[in-house]
Every structure is written in C-alpha cells, then in structure tokens.
Amino acid sequence: MFIICYSGQQNRQWRAAIDFKWIRDNRDAVAANIKNRNSNANLDLVIELYEKYLALQKEAERIRGLRNVVANKMKGKLELSERQTLVEEGKILKEGLTALEEDLNELTDRLQQEGQCIPNITHPDVPIGDEDCSAVRKMVGSPREFSFPIKDHVQLGKELDLFYFDAAAEVSGSKFYYLKNEAVLLEMGLVNWALTEVMKRGFIPLTTPEIVRSTVVEKCGFQPRGQNTQVYSVEDSDLCLIGTAEIPVGGIHMKSILPDSSLPLKYVAYSHCFRTEAGAAGTATRGLYRVHQFSKVEMFIFCRPEESDFYHEELIGIEEDLFASLGLHFKTLDMASWDLGAPAYRKFDVEAWMPGLGRYGEISSASNCRDYQSRRLDIRYRPSTTDASAGNPKRGKGAGPTQFVHTLNATACAVPRMIVCVLENFQQEDGSVVVPEPLRPFMGGLEVISPKFRRV
C-alpha cells in the first residue's frame, strides 16, 4: 500500500505534528526530496498556507491582547458612557476574533491536508529513480538446477490437491483461495516457525485487530479512501480492513509517552491482511502470488531516534536469516526512491527466486519510517537525563522534553508467497515437494508432500 494524495475537502478529526517551520526553512531540500520520490505534493502551496497561518495566528494574538486591555480597563471605576464604549469595543473585538479563529481552523485543516502529502525525507544512500534503479545489497544462494521439467505452484497445487481456486472464485470472487490438505499444515507451520524464530530475538508476540479506524490507517501514512487505494473500507463507517499488521501495531501506543527504559519495544504480530490489489492482473500475479486475503507475520519496532538505522539493519538481517535457513535463493535490494511510499525513509526488499514463475518475486520488505508515523500517531518518549553529581539517570515527569520515537516495520513471513517459494523450489521429479527441515517440527514431522493417487 502507498499513500495517494488527492484533492478535495476532507473532514479531518486529527492533526499531525508536522514541522512546517522546518519544511519552510529547508525549502530547497524538501523540494528536491519531493522530486526524487516522484511525489505529487505541492510544496509551494504548503509554504503559502503556512505563511498565511502564521499571519492569521499573529493577528489573532494581537486581537486577544486588545481584548485583555479592554477587560483590564473595565475593572476600574468608569463613567457609564466610558463603560458602554468599552463594552461595544469588546463586543467588536470578540466578533472579529471569532471570525478570525474560524478562518484559522479552516486554514489549519487545509494546511494539514496538503502537508500530509509531503513524503518522508530520504536516506542519502537510497538510489534515485524507479524500481529498476534499486541496488542489490546481497545475493544469497543460487537458483536450483532441475533435471526435469519444472511446474509452477498452481500446477503443483492442483496435482497435490492443495488448493481450491475455482470454488473460492465462486464463493468470494477472483484472487481468493482455499488451502487444503498439507497446504493448511504448511500455512500453520510457516506462521508458527516465523513467530518462534522472531521471538527468540526478543520480540513480543501479538495478534491484532483486523478492522481499524480509517484515521489510524491515515496516521500510518496510507490513504484509505483515495483513488486506486489498496484498502478495503467498511461502508457507512470510519472502519477499514488492515492491509498489514503494521497499522494496528503502530496504533497500539497511540497518544502515549513511553518510558525511556521501555525502548526499544519490539513486537511480532500475526494477522490476516486484506488488499484490493487495484490494477493487478496478468499471468505474473496468478495463483497465490497476489491475492486479496492472506496471513502474515510482521515485525515492528519503536525505538529512540539515534537507533533506528541500527534496528533497520537488524530487521533485514532477521529476514535474511529466516529465508536462508529454508534454503531459498534470494536477493536483498535497497529500494529506489520512487518505490519507497510516503512513510519510508529507507526500504529494503527481499526478492526470492520462484522457478515456476521464472523470476524473482518480492517476499518481504523492511522499512525505517523514522518519526513520520509517530508524529501522526502522537507517540513520544521522555529521554533519561543524567544527574552530573551522582551519575544517576532521572526518569519521569520533568526529566526533560519529550521526543517522537522512530518506527520500523518488516515482514517475517507473508504466507502465500512463501508457499509459492516452498512448492516451486523444493519440487521433485515424481511430483512431490520436500518440506524444508526448519518447518517440519511445525508440521507434525511431515517431510514430503506427496501426490494423492486415486484408484481408476
């Protein structure tokens, strides 16, 4: 999912803590970033609105000052005519301030609407351009050589009796599916394997709500009701189905000040995900590769600002360890600027070789969003201060100003594409599929998925 900015009035019930002063003062850098990310944000309009906002705010403060002067004068002994004059003057000032505040609120809403189209800043090492400009960070393994004609996962699934695509299309529509027999065990095995491995690294397991408020979707940087949105919205409500557990996990500490001692907070969440996949079609997306509903295990970290680059590397390292342990051939990419999406400061993707499809396919990504999401979700922490005389950290109220945390997210296991990888990479000449060793304990010890022979 990517944020899509669109024109039109929105009824916003929340305001992000966007640093408009920084945007104005760093106009050239922000403009270059917008261009590099191929964004349609209107920086000139944002700065124009911000200057008007400052002018209106200054005028409102001037009128409040005059009202205070009038109010103070009325505290003393006055002739009736003088008091009446002050009453009239106060009334005019009050009416003027009310009108000004209405204009200020309307201007603030518009400034927010336009300001939220400005994408995150970009890591200096991110390649500039479209997806084809992405840089390969690492290549793991090599494509398996087959001595027999290979099959794609759709054919394998049919012959091994693992899927119902036609029935799902009748029941729910295209891009839905039933899993059957060992495919069910494979899904459960992948989920429990991923959760177990990530928990070993200190992540707290979660299951999440799968319906969230549209404002939370927006705060995470996605547009639930824009054109070509990937988000399913619930009609006549402010609710949406999640496209990733990143959204409900991001919202778990919304409007909070976290203790410095609690950071980093690391979560690993299991959820179902729902995406419209608007515009997706063709043979490259058939079968399980691109679907409307799927299971996913997602990692999410809240950390101090100076630590987010470190944890970004940790997340991609976990992904690489997981996929390498299954014996997959894959490459890790430093994604180019056009492919980042608005929230990401930097994004690493993992693309695995899928023999049946004859190409690499994305199986995970890891994004550092810095304070882009936390400013919208209002998630802060209060840094510890050190008592110079005692050398002891002080925490709690009054220990120093709060700061926004940084947020990161990464996919540990997107189940359907992992099923594609397992079936296609470990297929055998007799039509069976070998289960990778790390998954076997989570699948009741199953070592091979074999064809079902039927009596004629």
Side-chain angles (χ1 to χ4, degrees):
M1 296 186 298
F2 299 101
I3 188 168
I4 302 168
C5 297
Y6 63 101
S7 59
Q9 198 66 29
Q10 291 175 292
N11 183 23
R12 291 199 176 275
Q13 302 298 319
W14 59 276
R15 290 174 182 173
I18 299 172
D19 192 342
F20 289 106
K21 182 179 184 300
W22 186 91
I23 290 172
R24 182 196 62 186
D25 294 348
N26 296 272
R27 182 174 191 150
D28 291 345
V30 175
N33 186 57
I34 289 171
K35 181 180 179 181
N36 289 342
R37 294 177 74 125
N38 198 33
S39 169
N40 61 357
N42 190 337
L43 177 61
D44 290 340
L45 179 57
V46 170
I47 293 175
E48 178 186 334
L49 292 171
Y50 180 58
E51 295 289 359
K52 288 181 179 178
Y53 166 82
L54 291 177
L56 278 182
Q57 197 176 51
K58 186 176 180 179
E59 178 63 12
E61 287 300 319
R62 188 187 71 82
I63 294 176
R64 289 190 189 99
L66 292 175
R67 286 189 70 194
N68 290 336
V69 170
V70 170
N72 288 332
K73 285 181 179 180
M74 292 184 67
K75 291 177 182 178
K77 286 187 175 183
L78 298 170
E79 295 291 335
L80 183 61
S81 59
E82 291 178 296
R83 184 172 296 278
Q84 188 61 37
T85 299
L86 289 174
V87 167
E88 290 298 323
E89 187 178 345
K91 182 179 178 181
I92 292 170
L93 288 172
K94 180 181 179 181
E95 290 173 351
L97 183 60
T98 298
L100 196 60
E101 287 175 339
E102 288 177 358
D103 291 342
L104 194 58
N105 283 332
E106 185 177 331
L107 183 61
T108 301
D109 285 343
R110 192 173 176 210
L111 177 60
Q112 277 281 317
Q113 180 181 326
E114 296 296 335
Q116 287 179 45
C117 291
I118 294 179
N120 203 348
I121 60 172
T122 306
H123 189 286
D125 292 341
V126 168
I128 306 302
D130 61 16
E131 186 176 357
D132 293 338
C133 298
S134 301
V136 177
R137 279 171 49 96
K138 180 185 283 190
M139 187 75 75
V140 176
S142 56
R144 177 186 166 191
E145 295 183 3
F146 294 87
S147 60
F148 55 88
I150 58 176
K151 304 168 184 175
D152 68 10
H153 72 282
V154 177
Q155 186 177 356
L156 286 164
K158 182 178 180 180
E159 295 177 1
L160 293 170
D161 198 19
L162 300 179
F163 313 136
Y164 278 140
F165 288 114
D166 292 341
E170 289 295 326
V171 170
S172 302
S174 63
K175 299 188 186 298
F176 286 93
Y177 58 95
Y178 287 94
L179 296 183
K180 185 182 179 184
N181 294 321
E182 292 91 343
V184 177
L185 300 181
L186 184 53
E187 166 153 341
M188 301 303 176
L190 284 164
V191 167
N192 285 303
W193 161 75
L195 283 170
T196 300
E197 290 299 316
V198 176
M199 286 169 60
K200 289 178 183 176
R201 292 161 167 85
F203 285 70
I204 301 165
L206 291 174
T207 59
T208 73
E210 293 173 357
I211 297 178
V212 297
R213 298 184 189 279
S214 60
T215 51
V216 178
V217 179
E218 287 183 296
K219 289 174 183 180
C220 287
F222 306 115
Q223 184 51 259
R225 291 182 170 85
Q227 295 176 348
N228 298 318
T229 182
Q230 298 293 335
V231 181
Y232 281 108
S233 295
V234 180
E235 192 173 8
D236 298 325
S237 78
D238 70 338
L239 300 173
C240 301
L241 301 182
I242 64 170
T244 169
E246 170 191 346
I247 295 167
V249 181
I252 198 170
H253 295 297
M254 188 166 58
K255 301 178 184 177
S256 296
I257 298 177
L258 303 173
D260 184 55
S261 59
S262 71
L263 299 176
L265 267 172
K266 300 179 178 182
Y267 293 108
V268 56
Y270 166 73
S271 74
H272 295 101
C273 304
F274 305 86
R275 301 186 185 182
T276 65
E277 297 296 356
T283 56
T285 65
R286 69 200 269 314
L288 293 176
Y289 188 81
R290 196 177 297 280
V291 290
H292 291 309
Q293 176 185 331
F294 58 96
S295 301
K296 183 156 73 84
V297 178
E298 183 81 2
M299 298 178 284
F300 198 99
I301 295 177
F302 300 91
C303 71
R304 301 174 188 89
E306 66 271 17
E307 298 173 336
S308 62
D309 285 340
F310 171 82
Y311 287 116
H312 197 199
E313 292 292 339
E314 178 180 282
L315 287 172
I316 191 62
I318 292 172
E319 291 180 337
E320 290 169 346
D321 288 347
L322 290 174
F323 305 139
S325 74
L326 294 182
L328 299 178
H329 164 51
F330 60 88
K331 59 183 177 180
T332 305
L333 302 171
D334 192 349
M335 298 308 293
S337 57
W338 290 17
D339 196 61
L340 292 183
Y345 167 68
R346 193 179 195 181
K347 181 164 75 88
F348 302 140
D349 277 6
V350 177
E351 294 186 355
W353 180 250
M354 299 177 179
L357 295 179
R359 64 181 178 88
Y360 291 95
E362 180 190 341
I363 58 172
S364 76
S365 64
S367 298
N368 182 359
C369 297
R370 292 174 64 92
D371 64 356
Y372 187 94
Q373 293 175 326
S374 61
R375 283 181 173 275
R376 289 153 174 75
L377 293 162
D378 192 16
I379 307 172
R380 307 165 185 256
Y381 81 106
R382 195 179 298 279
S384 301
T385 59
T386 301
D387 185 333
S389 60
N392 295 321
K394 293 181 178 180
R395 295 187 176 92
K397 193 172 182 180
T402 60
Q403 296 182 31
F404 290 103
V405 298
H406 279 194
T407 63
L408 304 97
N409 63 85
T411 308
C413 180
V415 170
R417 293 191 184 179
M418 292 298 287
I419 292 177
V420 173
C421 288
V422 169
L423 295 182
E424 295 189 358
N425 281 285
F426 302 111
Q427 60 182 294
Q428 306 299 304
E429 189 171 6
D430 64 359
S432 65
V433 173
V434 174
V435 177
E437 283 193 28
L439 300 180
R440 294 174 189 176
F442 301 96
M443 296 177 63
L446 182 68
E447 297 182 5
V448 179
I449 302 173
S450 300
K452 283 74 175 169
F453 295 103
R454 298 177 180 174
R455 293 180 181 176
V456 180

